[in-house]
Structures are given as structure tokens and as C-alpha cells.
Short mmCIF file of all heavy atoms in Angstrom, two decimals:
data_model
loop_
_atom_site.label_atom_id
_atom_site.label_comp_id
_atom_site.label_asym_id
_atom_site.label_seq_id
_atom_site.Cartn_x
_atom_site.Cartn_y
_atom_site.Cartn_z
N LEU A 1 0.82 -1.21 0.03
CA LEU A 1 -0.01 0.03 -0.01
C LEU A 1 0.82 1.24 0.00
O LEU A 1 0.62 2.18 -0.71
CB LEU A 1 -0.97 -0.03 1.23
CG LEU A 1 -1.80 1.21 1.49
CD1 LEU A 1 -2.73 1.43 0.30
CD2 LEU A 1 -2.47 1.25 2.77
N GLY A 2 1.88 1.24 0.85
CA GLY A 2 2.76 2.39 0.93
C GLY A 2 3.41 2.72 -0.42
O GLY A 2 3.43 3.99 -0.73
N LYS A 3 3.92 1.88 -1.18
CA LYS A 3 4.69 2.02 -2.38
C LYS A 3 3.57 2.65 -3.50
O LYS A 3 3.86 3.62 -4.13
CB LYS A 3 5.20 0.85 -2.90
CG LYS A 3 5.85 0.96 -4.27
CD LYS A 3 7.22 1.64 -4.17
CE LYS A 3 7.91 1.40 -5.62
NZ LYS A 3 8.20 2.65 -6.20
N ALA A 4 2.33 2.09 -3.49
CA ALA A 4 1.40 2.59 -4.38
C ALA A 4 0.94 3.99 -4.11
O ALA A 4 0.78 4.79 -5.06
CB ALA A 4 0.13 1.63 -4.41
N VAL A 5 0.77 4.18 -2.80
CA VAL A 5 0.35 5.57 -2.45
C VAL A 5 1.52 6.60 -2.71
O VAL A 5 1.25 7.68 -3.36
CB VAL A 5 0.06 5.69 -0.89
CG1 VAL A 5 -0.14 7.16 -0.45
CG2 VAL A 5 -1.23 4.92 -0.61
N CYS A 6 2.71 6.26 -2.43
CA CYS A 6 3.81 7.15 -2.75
C CYS A 6 3.94 7.37 -4.31
O CYS A 6 4.17 8.53 -4.71
CB CYS A 6 5.19 6.62 -2.23
SG CYS A 6 5.25 6.53 -0.49
N ASP A 7 3.75 6.35 -5.09
CA ASP A 7 3.86 6.50 -6.50
C ASP A 7 2.76 7.40 -7.08
O ASP A 7 3.00 8.26 -7.92
CB ASP A 7 3.82 5.11 -7.20
CG ASP A 7 5.13 4.31 -7.06
OD1 ASP A 7 6.09 4.91 -6.57
OD2 ASP A 7 5.07 3.15 -7.22
N MET A 8 1.58 7.21 -6.48
CA MET A 8 0.37 8.05 -6.94
C MET A 8 0.59 9.53 -6.59
O MET A 8 0.49 10.39 -7.34
CB MET A 8 -0.90 7.59 -6.34
CG MET A 8 -2.01 8.33 -6.66
SD MET A 8 -3.65 7.84 -5.89
CE MET A 8 -3.28 8.04 -4.26
N PHE A 9 1.09 9.79 -5.35
CA PHE A 9 1.35 11.12 -4.95
C PHE A 9 2.52 11.73 -5.79
O PHE A 9 2.41 12.95 -6.06
CB PHE A 9 1.67 11.21 -3.47
CG PHE A 9 0.52 10.99 -2.56
CD1 PHE A 9 -0.73 10.66 -2.99
CD2 PHE A 9 0.67 11.23 -1.22
CE1 PHE A 9 -1.82 10.54 -2.21
CE2 PHE A 9 -0.34 11.12 -0.37
CZ PHE A 9 -1.68 10.77 -0.86
N GLU A 10 3.52 10.94 -6.18
CA GLU A 10 4.53 11.48 -7.07
C GLU A 10 3.97 11.90 -8.40
O GLU A 10 4.41 12.85 -8.95
CB GLU A 10 5.66 10.51 -7.17
CG GLU A 10 6.63 10.53 -5.94
CD GLU A 10 7.79 9.58 -6.12
OE1 GLU A 10 8.27 9.36 -7.29
OE2 GLU A 10 8.41 9.13 -5.11
N ALA A 11 3.18 11.06 -8.87
CA ALA A 11 2.57 11.33 -10.19
C ALA A 11 1.69 12.60 -10.15
O ALA A 11 1.60 13.40 -11.12
CB ALA A 11 1.73 10.08 -10.64
N VAL A 12 0.98 12.75 -9.05
CA VAL A 12 -0.01 13.90 -9.01
C VAL A 12 0.74 15.19 -8.52
O VAL A 12 0.56 16.20 -9.14
CB VAL A 12 -1.16 13.55 -8.00
CG1 VAL A 12 -1.95 14.78 -7.77
CG2 VAL A 12 -1.95 12.46 -8.59
N PHE A 13 1.60 15.05 -7.55
CA PHE A 13 2.22 16.28 -6.94
C PHE A 13 3.69 16.56 -7.30
O PHE A 13 4.18 17.57 -6.99
CB PHE A 13 2.10 16.23 -5.42
CG PHE A 13 0.62 16.16 -4.90
CD1 PHE A 13 0.29 15.01 -4.24
CD2 PHE A 13 -0.19 17.17 -5.02
CE1 PHE A 13 -1.11 14.87 -3.82
CE2 PHE A 13 -1.52 17.12 -4.59
CZ PHE A 13 -1.97 15.97 -3.97
N GLY A 14 4.27 15.57 -8.00
CA GLY A 14 5.70 15.75 -8.21
C GLY A 14 6.50 15.12 -7.14
O GLY A 14 6.00 14.98 -5.98
N THR A 15 7.76 14.82 -7.36
CA THR A 15 8.63 14.12 -6.42
C THR A 15 8.86 14.89 -5.09
O THR A 15 8.70 14.41 -4.05
CB THR A 15 10.01 13.75 -7.11
OG1 THR A 15 9.69 13.07 -8.29
CG2 THR A 15 10.86 12.92 -6.08
N GLU A 16 9.17 16.22 -5.28
CA GLU A 16 9.55 16.94 -4.06
C GLU A 16 8.25 17.25 -3.22
O GLU A 16 8.41 17.07 -1.97
CB GLU A 16 10.16 18.28 -4.49
CG GLU A 16 11.53 18.25 -5.02
CD GLU A 16 12.48 17.56 -3.98
OE1 GLU A 16 12.49 17.93 -2.85
OE2 GLU A 16 13.31 16.66 -4.44
N ASN A 17 7.15 17.52 -3.75
CA ASN A 17 5.95 17.69 -2.99
C ASN A 17 5.42 16.39 -2.41
O ASN A 17 4.92 16.46 -1.27
CB ASN A 17 4.86 18.36 -3.88
CG ASN A 17 5.22 19.82 -4.26
OD1 ASN A 17 5.89 20.53 -3.59
ND2 ASN A 17 4.77 20.25 -5.40
N ALA A 18 5.55 15.36 -3.10
CA ALA A 18 5.13 14.07 -2.58
C ALA A 18 6.00 13.70 -1.35
O ALA A 18 5.51 13.23 -0.36
CB ALA A 18 5.20 12.98 -3.60
N LYS A 19 7.27 13.99 -1.48
CA LYS A 19 8.19 13.68 -0.36
C LYS A 19 7.75 14.48 0.86
O LYS A 19 7.85 14.01 1.96
CB LYS A 19 9.60 14.09 -0.78
CG LYS A 19 10.66 13.75 0.28
CD LYS A 19 12.07 14.05 -0.24
CE LYS A 19 13.12 13.91 0.75
NZ LYS A 19 14.45 14.34 0.30
N THR A 20 7.37 15.80 0.67
CA THR A 20 6.98 16.69 1.74
C THR A 20 5.73 16.14 2.48
O THR A 20 5.67 16.14 3.76
CB THR A 20 6.70 18.06 1.29
OG1 THR A 20 7.92 18.57 0.53
CG2 THR A 20 6.30 19.02 2.34
N ILE A 21 4.81 15.70 1.69
CA ILE A 21 3.55 15.14 2.15
C ILE A 21 3.87 13.82 3.03
O ILE A 21 3.41 13.67 4.04
CB ILE A 21 2.56 14.78 1.07
CG1 ILE A 21 2.10 16.12 0.44
CG2 ILE A 21 1.33 13.97 1.56
CD1 ILE A 21 1.32 16.00 -0.86
N ILE A 22 4.67 12.97 2.42
CA ILE A 22 4.98 11.67 3.05
C ILE A 22 5.71 11.93 4.39
O ILE A 22 5.47 11.34 5.40
CB ILE A 22 5.80 10.70 2.11
CG1 ILE A 22 4.96 10.37 0.89
CG2 ILE A 22 6.35 9.56 2.88
CD1 ILE A 22 5.64 9.77 -0.26
N GLU A 23 6.62 12.92 4.42
CA GLU A 23 7.41 13.18 5.56
C GLU A 23 6.48 13.84 6.64
O GLU A 23 6.57 13.47 7.88
CB GLU A 23 8.55 14.24 5.25
CG GLU A 23 9.68 13.52 4.55
CD GLU A 23 10.72 14.54 4.19
OE1 GLU A 23 10.60 15.73 4.43
OE2 GLU A 23 11.77 14.03 3.64
N PHE A 24 5.52 14.64 6.24
CA PHE A 24 4.59 15.28 7.12
C PHE A 24 3.80 14.14 7.87
O PHE A 24 3.54 14.20 9.08
CB PHE A 24 3.61 16.22 6.43
CG PHE A 24 2.55 16.76 7.33
CD1 PHE A 24 2.73 17.78 8.19
CD2 PHE A 24 1.25 16.25 7.20
CE1 PHE A 24 1.72 18.34 8.98
CE2 PHE A 24 0.24 16.63 8.05
CZ PHE A 24 0.50 17.81 8.90
N TYR A 25 3.28 13.12 7.06
CA TYR A 25 2.46 12.08 7.68
C TYR A 25 3.33 10.99 8.36
O TYR A 25 2.76 10.02 8.87
CB TYR A 25 1.54 11.43 6.64
CG TYR A 25 0.38 12.30 6.36
CD1 TYR A 25 0.43 13.25 5.27
CD2 TYR A 25 -0.77 12.32 7.24
CE1 TYR A 25 -0.75 14.00 5.03
CE2 TYR A 25 -1.82 13.09 6.90
CZ TYR A 25 -1.85 13.94 5.88
OH TYR A 25 -2.95 14.78 5.68
N GLU A 26 4.60 11.11 8.31
CA GLU A 26 5.54 10.19 8.82
C GLU A 26 5.22 8.70 8.48
O GLU A 26 5.14 7.74 9.40
CB GLU A 26 5.57 10.36 10.41
CG GLU A 26 6.04 11.76 10.84
CD GLU A 26 5.97 12.06 12.34
OE1 GLU A 26 5.16 11.35 13.02
OE2 GLU A 26 6.62 12.89 12.74
N ASN A 27 4.94 8.45 7.28
CA ASN A 27 4.62 7.16 6.75
C ASN A 27 3.37 6.50 7.28
O ASN A 27 3.23 5.24 7.23
CB ASN A 27 5.82 6.22 6.97
CG ASN A 27 7.12 6.65 6.18
OD1 ASN A 27 7.03 7.24 5.14
ND2 ASN A 27 8.24 6.50 6.80
N ARG A 28 2.44 7.28 7.72
CA ARG A 28 1.06 6.80 8.02
C ARG A 28 0.28 6.88 6.89
O ARG A 28 -0.53 7.80 6.58
CB ARG A 28 0.52 7.60 9.23
CG ARG A 28 1.36 7.62 10.55
CD ARG A 28 0.62 8.36 11.65
NE ARG A 28 0.13 9.68 11.31
CZ ARG A 28 0.79 10.83 11.35
NH1 ARG A 28 1.98 10.82 11.79
NH2 ARG A 28 0.21 11.95 11.02
N TYR A 29 0.38 5.74 6.04
CA TYR A 29 -0.22 5.71 4.68
C TYR A 29 -1.76 5.78 4.69
O TYR A 29 -2.29 6.38 3.84
CB TYR A 29 0.35 4.53 3.96
CG TYR A 29 1.80 4.54 3.68
CD1 TYR A 29 2.65 3.69 4.44
CD2 TYR A 29 2.44 5.50 2.91
CE1 TYR A 29 4.01 3.69 4.25
CE2 TYR A 29 3.81 5.61 2.68
CZ TYR A 29 4.56 4.67 3.39
OH TYR A 29 5.94 4.72 3.30
N ILE A 30 -2.33 5.06 5.57
CA ILE A 30 -3.77 5.05 5.70
C ILE A 30 -4.37 6.39 5.98
O ILE A 30 -5.28 6.94 5.30
CB ILE A 30 -4.33 3.99 6.53
CG1 ILE A 30 -3.87 2.53 6.02
CG2 ILE A 30 -5.77 4.07 6.81
CD1 ILE A 30 -4.38 1.46 6.66
N GLU A 31 -3.82 7.11 6.95
CA GLU A 31 -4.23 8.40 7.38
C GLU A 31 -3.96 9.40 6.27
O GLU A 31 -4.86 10.19 5.90
CB GLU A 31 -3.56 8.85 8.61
CG GLU A 31 -3.96 10.18 9.18
CD GLU A 31 -3.18 10.71 10.28
OE1 GLU A 31 -2.53 9.77 10.98
OE2 GLU A 31 -3.24 11.85 10.69
N MET A 32 -2.80 9.27 5.60
CA MET A 32 -2.40 10.14 4.51
C MET A 32 -3.39 9.90 3.28
O MET A 32 -3.85 11.01 2.82
CB MET A 32 -1.03 9.83 4.06
CG MET A 32 -0.44 10.60 2.87
SD MET A 32 1.27 10.38 2.70
CE MET A 32 1.39 8.64 2.57
N THR A 33 -3.74 8.71 3.04
CA THR A 33 -4.58 8.49 1.86
C THR A 33 -6.09 8.94 2.29
O THR A 33 -6.69 9.59 1.37
CB THR A 33 -4.64 6.95 1.69
OG1 THR A 33 -3.38 6.46 1.37
CG2 THR A 33 -5.64 6.60 0.48
N GLN A 34 -6.51 8.81 3.47
CA GLN A 34 -7.82 9.27 3.84
C GLN A 34 -7.96 10.82 3.79
O GLN A 34 -8.96 11.29 3.49
CB GLN A 34 -8.19 8.77 5.25
CG GLN A 34 -8.45 7.34 5.31
CD GLN A 34 -8.63 6.88 6.72
OE1 GLN A 34 -8.14 7.40 7.73
NE2 GLN A 34 -9.35 5.74 6.91
N GLU A 35 -6.91 11.48 4.07
CA GLU A 35 -6.98 12.92 4.04
C GLU A 35 -6.60 13.57 2.75
O GLU A 35 -7.14 14.63 2.43
CB GLU A 35 -6.02 13.37 5.19
CG GLU A 35 -6.58 13.08 6.56
CD GLU A 35 -5.75 13.56 7.65
OE1 GLU A 35 -4.79 14.35 7.44
OE2 GLU A 35 -5.97 13.26 8.83
N VAL A 36 -5.77 12.98 2.00
CA VAL A 36 -5.25 13.60 0.63
C VAL A 36 -6.02 13.12 -0.56
O VAL A 36 -6.25 13.92 -1.41
CB VAL A 36 -3.77 13.42 0.50
CG1 VAL A 36 -3.21 14.02 -0.80
CG2 VAL A 36 -2.96 13.98 1.63
N LEU A 37 -6.53 11.84 -0.52
CA LEU A 37 -7.18 11.33 -1.66
C LEU A 37 -8.50 12.06 -2.02
O LEU A 37 -8.75 12.32 -3.19
CB LEU A 37 -7.53 9.86 -1.46
CG LEU A 37 -7.76 9.03 -2.69
CD1 LEU A 37 -6.77 9.14 -3.77
CD2 LEU A 37 -8.05 7.59 -2.27
N PRO A 38 -9.30 12.51 -0.97
CA PRO A 38 -10.46 13.37 -1.42
C PRO A 38 -10.09 14.63 -2.08
O PRO A 38 -10.78 14.99 -3.02
CB PRO A 38 -11.06 13.70 0.01
CG PRO A 38 -10.67 12.53 0.79
CD PRO A 38 -9.24 12.25 0.38
N PHE A 39 -8.93 15.24 -1.77
CA PHE A 39 -8.48 16.45 -2.61
C PHE A 39 -8.21 15.99 -3.99
O PHE A 39 -8.53 16.80 -4.90
CB PHE A 39 -7.20 16.94 -1.91
CG PHE A 39 -6.60 18.14 -2.63
CD1 PHE A 39 -7.15 19.35 -2.68
CD2 PHE A 39 -5.47 17.91 -3.45
CE1 PHE A 39 -6.68 20.47 -3.43
CE2 PHE A 39 -4.96 19.06 -4.16
CZ PHE A 39 -5.46 20.23 -4.10
N ILE A 40 -7.59 14.90 -4.21
CA ILE A 40 -7.16 14.53 -5.57
C ILE A 40 -8.49 14.21 -6.36
O ILE A 40 -8.61 14.58 -7.50
CB ILE A 40 -6.34 13.22 -5.45
CG1 ILE A 40 -5.00 13.62 -4.93
CG2 ILE A 40 -6.21 12.57 -6.90
CD1 ILE A 40 -4.08 12.40 -4.67
N THR A 41 -9.42 13.56 -5.77
CA THR A 41 -10.62 13.22 -6.54
C THR A 41 -11.63 14.33 -6.68
O THR A 41 -12.36 14.42 -7.57
CB THR A 41 -11.46 12.00 -5.79
OG1 THR A 41 -11.73 12.38 -4.45
CG2 THR A 41 -10.59 10.73 -5.77
N THR A 42 -11.67 15.31 -5.79
CA THR A 42 -12.61 16.40 -5.89
C THR A 42 -12.07 17.63 -6.53
O THR A 42 -12.81 18.51 -7.13
CB THR A 42 -13.13 16.90 -4.51
OG1 THR A 42 -12.11 17.19 -3.65
CG2 THR A 42 -13.95 15.70 -3.94
N VAL A 43 -10.68 17.80 -6.54
CA VAL A 43 -10.05 19.07 -7.12
C VAL A 43 -9.20 18.69 -8.31
O VAL A 43 -9.40 19.23 -9.48
CB VAL A 43 -9.24 19.75 -6.08
CG1 VAL A 43 -8.51 20.97 -6.66
CG2 VAL A 43 -10.12 20.26 -4.88
N ILE A 44 -8.25 17.76 -8.21
CA ILE A 44 -7.32 17.46 -9.25
C ILE A 44 -8.00 16.86 -10.36
O ILE A 44 -7.69 17.30 -11.53
CB ILE A 44 -6.12 16.63 -8.61
CG1 ILE A 44 -5.45 17.31 -7.43
CG2 ILE A 44 -5.14 16.32 -9.77
CD1 ILE A 44 -4.66 18.56 -7.78
N ILE A 45 -8.59 15.76 -10.21
CA ILE A 45 -9.18 14.97 -11.42
C ILE A 45 -10.23 15.83 -12.11
O ILE A 45 -10.14 15.86 -13.30
CB ILE A 45 -9.79 13.72 -10.81
CG1 ILE A 45 -8.65 12.70 -10.41
CG2 ILE A 45 -10.63 13.05 -11.96
CD1 ILE A 45 -9.17 11.46 -9.80
N PRO A 46 -11.08 16.58 -11.54
CA PRO A 46 -12.04 17.48 -12.27
C PRO A 46 -11.17 18.49 -13.12
O PRO A 46 -11.54 18.79 -14.31
CB PRO A 46 -12.97 18.08 -11.30
CG PRO A 46 -12.91 17.18 -10.17
CD PRO A 46 -11.60 16.53 -10.11
N LYS A 47 -10.17 19.06 -12.58
CA LYS A 47 -9.33 20.07 -13.26
C LYS A 47 -8.62 19.38 -14.46
O LYS A 47 -8.56 19.93 -15.58
CB LYS A 47 -8.35 20.65 -12.33
CG LYS A 47 -7.53 21.73 -12.90
CD LYS A 47 -8.38 22.87 -13.31
CE LYS A 47 -7.68 24.13 -13.90
NZ LYS A 47 -8.42 25.18 -14.25
N ILE A 48 -8.11 18.29 -14.27
CA ILE A 48 -7.56 17.49 -15.38
C ILE A 48 -8.50 17.13 -16.55
O ILE A 48 -8.23 17.28 -17.62
CB ILE A 48 -6.89 16.18 -14.89
CG1 ILE A 48 -5.57 16.42 -14.01
CG2 ILE A 48 -6.41 15.26 -16.07
CD1 ILE A 48 -5.01 15.31 -13.29
N THR A 49 -9.70 16.74 -16.19
CA THR A 49 -10.82 16.56 -17.06
C THR A 49 -11.06 17.79 -17.84
O THR A 49 -11.35 17.70 -18.99
CB THR A 49 -12.02 16.02 -16.32
OG1 THR A 49 -11.67 14.85 -15.62
CG2 THR A 49 -13.15 15.60 -17.28
N GLU A 50 -11.17 18.90 -17.15
CA GLU A 50 -11.51 20.23 -17.80
C GLU A 50 -10.45 20.55 -18.81
O GLU A 50 -10.79 21.01 -19.98
CB GLU A 50 -11.64 21.20 -16.77
CG GLU A 50 -11.87 22.69 -17.27
CD GLU A 50 -11.87 23.65 -16.13
OE1 GLU A 50 -12.25 23.35 -14.97
OE2 GLU A 50 -11.43 24.82 -16.39
N ILE A 51 -9.23 20.41 -18.43
CA ILE A 51 -8.07 20.79 -19.30
C ILE A 51 -8.16 19.86 -20.52
O ILE A 51 -7.81 20.24 -21.55
CB ILE A 51 -6.77 20.70 -18.52
CG1 ILE A 51 -6.62 21.79 -17.53
CG2 ILE A 51 -5.53 20.71 -19.45
CD1 ILE A 51 -5.57 21.69 -16.48
N ASN A 52 -8.33 18.57 -20.26
CA ASN A 52 -8.46 17.62 -21.43
C ASN A 52 -9.44 18.00 -22.40
O ASN A 52 -9.18 17.94 -23.62
CB ASN A 52 -8.66 16.21 -20.86
CG ASN A 52 -8.51 15.10 -21.84
OD1 ASN A 52 -7.82 15.27 -22.88
ND2 ASN A 52 -9.09 14.01 -21.65
N LYS A 53 -10.62 18.40 -21.85
CA LYS A 53 -11.78 18.86 -22.83
C LYS A 53 -11.34 20.00 -23.67
O LYS A 53 -11.63 20.15 -24.79
CB LYS A 53 -13.02 19.09 -22.02
CG LYS A 53 -13.83 17.94 -21.50
CD LYS A 53 -15.07 18.33 -20.84
CE LYS A 53 -15.70 17.12 -20.19
NZ LYS A 53 -16.93 17.59 -19.44
N GLU A 54 -10.67 20.98 -22.98
CA GLU A 54 -10.19 22.24 -23.62
C GLU A 54 -9.21 21.87 -24.73
O GLU A 54 -9.23 22.41 -25.81
CB GLU A 54 -9.67 23.14 -22.65
CG GLU A 54 -10.62 23.83 -21.66
CD GLU A 54 -9.98 24.59 -20.57
OE1 GLU A 54 -8.74 24.69 -20.51
OE2 GLU A 54 -10.79 25.13 -19.73
N ASN A 55 -8.28 20.86 -24.44
CA ASN A 55 -7.28 20.57 -25.33
C ASN A 55 -7.87 19.85 -26.61
O ASN A 55 -7.43 20.07 -27.67
CB ASN A 55 -6.21 19.67 -24.72
CG ASN A 55 -5.40 20.40 -23.80
OD1 ASN A 55 -5.21 21.63 -23.88
ND2 ASN A 55 -4.68 19.71 -22.88
N ARG A 56 -8.87 18.97 -26.27
CA ARG A 56 -9.52 18.26 -27.38
C ARG A 56 -10.24 19.23 -28.34
O ARG A 56 -10.19 19.23 -29.58
CB ARG A 56 -10.46 17.35 -26.87
CG ARG A 56 -9.85 16.03 -26.32
CD ARG A 56 -10.96 15.07 -25.85
NE ARG A 56 -10.29 13.96 -25.19
CZ ARG A 56 -10.78 12.69 -25.12
NH1 ARG A 56 -11.97 12.45 -25.75
NH2 ARG A 56 -10.20 11.79 -24.55
N ALA A 57 -10.88 20.21 -27.68
CA ALA A 57 -11.66 21.18 -28.50
C ALA A 57 -10.67 22.02 -29.33
O ALA A 57 -10.98 22.37 -30.51
CB ALA A 57 -12.54 22.12 -27.57
N ARG A 58 -9.51 22.39 -28.74
CA ARG A 58 -8.54 23.21 -29.55
C ARG A 58 -7.98 22.50 -30.64
O ARG A 58 -7.87 22.96 -31.75
CB ARG A 58 -7.46 23.67 -28.46
CG ARG A 58 -6.55 24.64 -29.03
CD ARG A 58 -5.52 25.23 -28.07
NE ARG A 58 -5.22 24.35 -26.88
CZ ARG A 58 -5.62 24.73 -25.67
NH1 ARG A 58 -6.29 25.88 -25.45
NH2 ARG A 58 -5.37 24.01 -24.60
N ILE A 59 -7.67 21.15 -30.42
CA ILE A 59 -7.15 20.32 -31.52
C ILE A 59 -8.22 20.17 -32.49
O ILE A 59 -7.86 20.17 -33.82
CB ILE A 59 -6.64 18.98 -30.90
CG1 ILE A 59 -5.35 19.24 -30.07
CG2 ILE A 59 -6.40 17.95 -32.03
CD1 ILE A 59 -4.95 18.00 -29.24
N LYS A 60 -9.44 19.89 -32.20
CA LYS A 60 -10.51 19.65 -33.11
C LYS A 60 -10.69 20.89 -33.98
O LYS A 60 -10.91 20.85 -35.21
CB LYS A 60 -11.84 19.31 -32.36
CG LYS A 60 -12.89 18.92 -33.27
CD LYS A 60 -14.18 18.54 -32.49
CE LYS A 60 -15.31 18.21 -33.35
NZ LYS A 60 -16.53 17.83 -32.61
N LYS A 61 -10.69 22.09 -33.27
CA LYS A 61 -10.84 23.31 -34.07
C LYS A 61 -9.74 23.53 -35.08
O LYS A 61 -10.02 23.89 -36.21
CB LYS A 61 -10.88 24.50 -33.05
CG LYS A 61 -11.23 25.78 -33.63
CD LYS A 61 -11.29 26.92 -32.61
CE LYS A 61 -11.54 28.28 -33.33
NZ LYS A 61 -11.67 29.28 -32.38
N LYS A 62 -8.50 23.20 -34.68
CA LYS A 62 -7.43 23.37 -35.70
C LYS A 62 -7.59 22.39 -36.78
O LYS A 62 -7.31 22.76 -37.99
CB LYS A 62 -6.07 23.03 -34.94
CG LYS A 62 -5.61 24.12 -34.10
CD LYS A 62 -4.26 23.72 -33.45
CE LYS A 62 -3.81 24.68 -32.48
NZ LYS A 62 -2.47 24.36 -31.94
N TYR A 63 -8.04 21.20 -36.60
CA TYR A 63 -8.25 20.17 -37.63
C TYR A 63 -9.34 20.56 -38.46
O TYR A 63 -9.26 20.59 -39.87
CB TYR A 63 -8.59 18.81 -36.95
CG TYR A 63 -8.71 17.84 -38.07
CD1 TYR A 63 -7.59 17.24 -38.74
CD2 TYR A 63 -10.02 17.27 -38.37
CE1 TYR A 63 -7.77 16.28 -39.71
CE2 TYR A 63 -10.16 16.26 -39.27
CZ TYR A 63 -9.09 15.79 -39.93
OH TYR A 63 -9.23 14.77 -40.90
N VAL A 64 -10.57 21.21 -38.00
CA VAL A 64 -11.60 21.53 -38.83
C VAL A 64 -11.19 22.80 -39.65
O VAL A 64 -11.54 22.85 -40.83
CB VAL A 64 -12.89 21.85 -37.95
CG1 VAL A 64 -13.98 22.61 -38.69
CG2 VAL A 64 -13.38 20.66 -37.25
N ASN A 65 -10.50 23.68 -39.10
CA ASN A 65 -10.04 24.94 -39.72
C ASN A 65 -9.08 24.54 -40.86
O ASN A 65 -9.10 25.04 -41.94
CB ASN A 65 -9.38 25.83 -38.88
CG ASN A 65 -10.28 26.58 -37.89
OD1 ASN A 65 -11.45 26.67 -38.16
ND2 ASN A 65 -9.76 27.21 -36.93
N ARG A 66 -8.29 23.54 -40.69
CA ARG A 66 -7.33 23.03 -41.66
C ARG A 66 -8.06 22.44 -42.92
O ARG A 66 -7.79 22.58 -44.06
CB ARG A 66 -6.37 21.96 -41.11
CG ARG A 66 -5.37 21.53 -42.07
CD ARG A 66 -4.34 20.67 -41.34
NE ARG A 66 -3.48 20.10 -42.31
CZ ARG A 66 -2.90 19.02 -42.17
NH1 ARG A 66 -3.04 18.23 -41.04
NH2 ARG A 66 -2.11 18.49 -43.14
N LEU A 67 -9.19 21.69 -42.57
CA LEU A 67 -9.98 21.02 -43.58
C LEU A 67 -10.78 22.00 -44.45
O LEU A 67 -10.95 21.94 -45.66
CB LEU A 67 -10.89 20.05 -43.00
CG LEU A 67 -10.41 18.71 -42.48
CD1 LEU A 67 -11.54 17.92 -41.81
CD2 LEU A 67 -9.69 17.93 -43.62
N THR A 68 -11.21 23.10 -43.83
CA THR A 68 -11.91 24.03 -44.55
C THR A 68 -11.16 24.93 -45.47
O THR A 68 -11.57 25.46 -46.42
CB THR A 68 -12.76 25.02 -43.54
OG1 THR A 68 -11.88 25.60 -42.68
CG2 THR A 68 -13.89 24.17 -42.87
N ARG A 69 -9.86 25.05 -45.13
CA ARG A 69 -8.90 25.88 -45.91
C ARG A 69 -8.52 25.14 -47.27
O ARG A 69 -8.17 25.76 -48.20
CB ARG A 69 -7.65 26.17 -45.16
CG ARG A 69 -7.77 27.36 -44.24
CD ARG A 69 -6.55 27.74 -43.60
NE ARG A 69 -6.37 27.14 -42.32
CZ ARG A 69 -5.40 26.81 -41.66
NH1 ARG A 69 -4.26 27.05 -42.20
NH2 ARG A 69 -5.41 26.25 -40.47
N LYS A 70 -8.62 23.80 -47.14
CA LYS A 70 -8.24 23.03 -48.39
C LYS A 70 -9.34 23.02 -49.22
O LYS A 70 -9.75 23.03 -50.21
CB LYS A 70 -7.90 21.56 -47.94
CG LYS A 70 -6.50 21.59 -47.27
CD LYS A 70 -6.10 20.14 -47.09
CE LYS A 70 -4.75 20.01 -46.33
NZ LYS A 70 -4.27 18.79 -46.32
#
């Protein structure tokens, strides 16, 4: 569990920030997961989804504009 949580935090927050979080919780992985995971699921994931939609729309617009010019 500890390795999986650490890897997930590194992927989301970056190596240095994940290290800070892990040191703060002193390797209490269950408590750390209970307190930080809701932030990831309610703030980070929706923001990533929003950015992904914006990127898709931007790419689609470029593609459509390119087709209409030809």
C-alpha cells in the first residue's frame, strides 16, 4: 500500500511535493490516503478533465479549420 500511495502522490504532486507530504504524515499511509485522496478526487481529477476537454476542443478546431482551408 505504501509504495502505491507514494507512486500516486509523486505522479500527482511531483517528487519533491510528494516527499514533503510523506514526511509530514511520517509514513502513516492510511491516514495520509484518507486525508489527501479526497483532494485528488474532488479538485485535481476534475481540473485534469476540464483541461483535457479544452485541449480536445482546441485540437478539433485546428483540424476543422485546416480542412476548410483546403
Side-chain angles (χ1 to χ4, degrees):
L1 175 65
K3 175 79 169 120
V5 171
C6 292
D7 289 346
M8 180 182 58
F9 284 9
E10 282 185 25
V12 173
F13 299 113
T15 305
E16 290 300 315
N17 292 331
K19 183 179 175 184
T20 302
I21 293 168
I22 293 164
E23 286 175 358
F24 175 80
Y25 283 97
E26 298 174 342
N27 298 323
R28 295 185 317 269
Y29 298 109
I30 294 185
E31 181 181 348
M32 180 171 49
T33 303
Q34 289 174 334
E35 293 181 3
V36 179
L37 197 58
F39 174 76
I40 293 171
T41 59
T42 60
V43 176
I44 301 292
I45 291 175
K47 186 63 177 176
I48 290 171
T49 304
E50 177 185 328
I51 291 169
N52 190 23
K53 283 181 185 178
E54 291 171 1
N55 288 342
R56 284 182 188 210
R58 188 175 18 254
I59 290 169
K60 185 177 178 181
K61 185 177 179 181
K62 286 181 183 180
Y63 182 73
V64 169
N65 287 344
R66 183 175 173 208
L67 287 177
T68 57
R69 280 188 260 153
K70 288 186 177 185

